[in-house]
Amino acid sequence: FTAMLPGRPGLRLGLSFDAKRSGLLVTELADEGLVAEHNINCVGSPSIDRGDVIVAVNGVRGDYQKLVDEVKRGMGSEIQLLVKAGQAKVIRSPPPSRPKLIKKVF
């Protein structure tokens, strides 16, 4: 899946990773940062989670150093991540347009 992270000068990506042949394996997620904001606002698309692998950054593929360099170069502007899901994803649905009636039993 593709994740678009907004350009926010001064805000870090907010994740830790291990370098893998296939890309950057997400090992930890911070409570703040571009990825945390994406995960909060990703209604209708997958969130980025531990175990996912970032295989391209802004169209750049290759070894981990190329990906890290592209993240650094892209900070402050929109960053496009191509992510290979590490596990089954649950996609959040938008809230219902009408409130549901809840029947209370006493």
Side-chain angles (χ1 to χ4, degrees), residues 9-59:
L11 195 59
R12 301 180 71 116
L13 209 53
L15 58 79
S16 297
F17 61 85
D18 285 338
K20 298 291 181 188
R21 176 184 265 186
S22 58
L24 307 175
L25 173 67
V26 178
T27 57
E28 297 293 328
L29 298 170
D31 292 334
E32 296 180 358
L34 294 173
V35 172
E37 284 189 4
H38 165 79
N39 287 349
I40 290 169
N41 299 308
C42 69
V43 174
S45 62
S47 61
I48 298 171
D49 299 307
R50 289 175 46 197
D52 289 349
V53 179
I54 300 169
V55 296
V57 178
N58 294 336

Side-chain angles (χ1 to χ4, degrees), residues 48-94:
I48 298 171
D49 299 307
R50 289 175 46 197
D52 289 349
V53 179
I54 300 169
V55 296
V57 178
N58 294 336
V60 174
R61 293 176 177 259
D63 67 15
Y64 80 94
Q65 192 59 55
K66 286 183 182 179
L67 300 177
V68 170
D69 290 345
E70 185 59 29
V71 168
K72 289 178 183 177
R73 187 174 14 264
M75 292 307 290
S77 59
E78 187 173 67
I79 298 175
Q80 180 185 45
L81 302 179
L82 180 60
V83 182
K84 180 180 176 187
Q87 57 189 348
K89 293 286 180 185
V90 174
I91 298 176
R92 290 181 21 195
S93 299

